[in-house]
Amino acid sequence: VQPPDPASIRVLRGHQQPITCLVVSPDDKFIFSAAKDCSIIKCKSGEVESGKRLCVVPRGKKGTEEQQVGHTAHILCMAISSDGKYLATGDRNKLIMIWEAATCKHLYKFTGHRDAVSGLSFQKGTHQLYSASHDRSVRVWNVAENAYIETLFGHQDVITGLDSLSRECCVTSGGRDGTVRIWKIPEESQLVFYGHQGSIDCIQLINEEHMLSGADDGSVALWGLTKKRPLAVVRQAHGTHGSHNLQQPYWVSAVAALHNSDLVATGSHSANVKLWKSGEGFRKLEPLFDIPLVGFVNSLKFSAAGDFLVAGLGQEHRLGRWWRIKEAKNSICIIPLKRKAGMADSS
């Protein structure tokens, strides 16, 4: 992959507050985003009508949660089913909303979590939805049947992120409990992994056997599902900031993987998104290049075909208000990824 020309990055505005999460539709034609302003926006991703808004779900009024459809609290996570039919969004108010992705029509509301909903993922090829929460539990739902299935416990602290692919299992990042967990749903068992020093804030599966996680100690880790410790760790992946004596690593606030490839991306508030190659056997992470972007990178997603990367930016971190980057724009950036000439198309 070649470094993109900064002029080719398309910047979409629309949310009034920091973007917290986004997804790309399975056909790569649409981007759904949500923000601390409690709104959801669906727009086109293609170059011709890039950023054209197809629908906006505005925030609801506090206290009217029972009657109306919009979120009334910060939306923290979203997921889209692999057939592009359903969109799920989760908020600080413990609610999960299910929408028809094509029309943004509200379908149902799932309740049951006892704290903020921080991660959502559909099992590939199904309408089974996994949700993670600050209440330390993972819940399993059947969206097509508007049904709750079960709750799984194990994390000792708030869960900050969740991902899944085709298998009936999901992976979670456990924040300050310092663990990454794999939940095997049918066996009702879990595997526990250790390797970061800080709060593990984001996680993504690369393929069915490997995953990537990022933490607020600045580290990025590559894992194989059969080893309890990371296969590779990059400390201070985005460098450090602060004065000479009080240097702190830039927190890693978002990670993304181009599925079934060796290309991954990480985001922070270090004024850039970094692209990496996961080396031979996923045993090392080699930096490829940086893409300059100012603000907190709160969400990163590759398109399915791998020809663009989408970053959700904000003046604040997705989960809190520790710092504010005033010069940042609350926006979505579509970064085109061109392959080097002469490279065979991997897809």
Side-chain angles (χ1 to χ4, degrees):
V1 186
Q2 290 170 306
D5 170 4
S8 68
I9 296 173
R10 303 196 290 285
V11 179
L12 317 181
R13 304 291 303 277
H15 291 286
Q16 303 303 309
Q17 287 184 22
I19 315 292
T20 51
C21 52
L22 58 87
V23 292
V24 182
S25 63
D27 61 8
D28 289 347
K29 286 181 183 162
F30 309 107
I31 296 167
F32 295 85
S33 57
K36 288 190 181 182
D37 60 17
C38 314
S39 69
I40 301 167
I41 295 179
K42 176 185 183 181
C43 64
K44 291 211 165 175
S45 62
E47 290 193 31
V48 183
E49 297 182 276
S50 188
K52 183 182 175 197
R53 279 188 235 170
L54 301 173
C55 48
V56 178
V57 180
R59 75 178 296 157
K61 286 197 177 66
K62 278 217 165 102
T64 61
E65 282 87 350
E66 294 312 309
Q67 296 92 37
Q68 50 86 44
V69 299
H71 284 277
T72 59
H74 293 178
I75 302 169
L76 296 180
C77 52
M78 61 183 0
I80 191 165
S81 59
S82 54
D83 59 1
K85 187 172 179 185
Y86 296 111
L87 179 78
T89 50
D91 71 15
R92 276 206 181 275
N93 214 2
K94 316 169 198 166
L95 293 179
I96 298 168
M97 304 279 201
I98 306 296
W99 314 84
E100 185 177 77
T103 60
C104 297
K105 179 176 161 236
H106 184 264
L107 298 174
Y108 347 103
K109 183 187 298 175
F110 288 163
T111 58
H113 275 299
R114 296 191 309 283
D115 204 340
V117 181
S118 55
L120 288 166
S121 181
F122 281 93
Q123 183 190 345
K124 235 178 158 165
T126 76
H127 292 140
Q128 182 153 295
L129 177 72
Y130 305 117
S131 61
S133 165
H134 288 182
D135 68 12
R136 309 178 184 188
S137 73
V138 171
R139 285 184 169 235
V140 187
W141 316 82
N142 181 324
V143 170
E145 292 171 17
N146 188 9
Y148 159 76
I149 300 174
E150 64 179 324
T151 305
L152 310 161
F153 296 98
H155 274 295
Q156 306 299 308
D157 193 8
V158 303
I159 305 177
T160 54
L162 172 143
D163 195 22
S164 66
L165 284 173
S166 309
R167 289 193 187 155
E168 208 175 336
C169 76
C170 62
V171 297
T172 50
S173 50
R176 299 228 161 265
D177 78 2
T179 69
V180 163
R181 288 173 193 245
I182 296 177
W183 306 78
K184 298 186 168 181
I185 314 289
E187 294 97 50
E188 295 191 5
S189 68
Q190 54 186 289
L191 302 172
V192 185
F193 298 77
Y194 296 94
H196 287 285
Q197 256 85 56
S199 172
I200 309 172
D201 290 345
C202 43
I203 190 158
Q204 272 246 284
L205 282 157
I206 300 171
N207 54 35
E208 300 286 2
E209 302 295 332
H210 298 91
M211 57 190 169
L212 177 75
S213 60
D216 72 359
D217 62 3
S219 62
V220 176
L222 269 177
W223 310 78
L225 303 200
T226 53
K227 294 245 183 340
K228 288 290 169 93
R229 297 266 166 202
L231 301 175
V233 179
V234 178
R235 308 254 172 238
Q236 299 182 358
H238 280 256
T240 57
H241 61 107
S243 61
H244 186 58
N245 306 331
L246 292 166
Q247 288 220 323
Q248 288 188 322
Y250 280 105
W251 298 7
V252 177
S253 49
V255 294
L258 178 56
H259 285 151
N260 302 314
S261 81
D262 59 1
L263 184 64
V264 300
T266 58
S268 179
H269 60 286
S270 57
N272 54 29
V273 165
K274 289 182 179 287
L275 265 71
W276 309 77
K277 178 184 175 196
S278 51
E280 198 69 29
F282 295 93
R283 298 206 175 273
K284 60 177 182 232
L285 271 174
E286 302 161 16
L288 292 170
F289 53 83
D290 295 0
I291 299 160
L293 289 179
V294 175
F296 279 89
V297 179
N298 287 326
S299 189
L300 283 170
K301 290 283 185 301
F302 283 98
S303 64
D307 47 10
F308 62 89
L309 172 68
V310 190
L313 291 176
Q315 294 183 330
E316 301 169 346
H317 190 284
R318 173 176 85 103
L319 296 173
R321 306 188 68 175
W322 297 281
W323 297 282
R324 192 175 173 83
I325 300 174
K326 290 197 179 63
E327 61 275 21
K329 305 270 192 284
N330 297 318
S331 59
I332 288 161
C333 296
I334 305 176
I335 303 153
L337 299 173
K338 291 198 167 57
R339 295 195 174 88
K340 285 188 180 144
M343 295 289 280
D345 191 340
S346 62
S347 59

